[in-house]
Amino acid sequence: MFYVVYASDKPGQEELRASIRETHRAHLRNPGRHKVQVRLGGPTLDESGLEMRGTMLVVEAESVEAVRAFLADDPYCRAGLFASLEIRPWRWGIGLPEAR
């Protein structure tokens, strides 16, 4: 099943985000013990389109619990970067990444 993860940064956390961004990206590419695959992702931006203000991911996992565990180990979550984090089941409708 697919899930969309939408997280918003706490205000004034640009330095924190920048300092752990590469570690976060490595976690997304290699989830270790977690059976979660990141299918699509990237930062959300401020209105100017210049500053990162959050994260949006599309992940594939067996359950929402698996997604929660994967996120709990994410460097951004461990560092307390996010003011809010939402996980929703999602049905991929257009642009399917591979034939099913």
Side-chain angles (χ1 to χ4, degrees), residues 28-87:
L28 299 182
R29 289 186 179 100
N30 182 9
R33 64 183 175 89
H34 301 287
K35 294 182 180 178
V36 172
Q37 289 189 327
V38 177
R39 296 295 188 178
L40 182 70
T44 59
L45 307 173
D46 67 359
E47 290 182 9
S48 73
L50 300 174
E51 299 290 328
M52 291 182 254
R53 294 290 186 255
T55 297
M56 194 284 302
L57 304 171
V58 174
V59 300
E60 191 170 4
E62 292 179 8
S63 66
V64 70
E65 291 81 13
V67 178
R68 285 187 189 116
F70 168 71
L71 293 172
D73 282 344
D74 184 283
Y76 282 171
C77 290
R78 287 194 325 250
L81 176 65
F82 299 132
S84 65
L85 186 131
E86 186 174 356
I87 304 167

Side-chain angles (χ1 to χ4, degrees), residues 1-16:
M1 175 165 237
F2 294 106
Y3 296 87
V4 172
V5 176
Y6 187 81
S8 295
D9 294 358
K10 293 176 184 171
Q13 298 298 304
E14 296 83 6
E15 260 186 55
L16 175 61

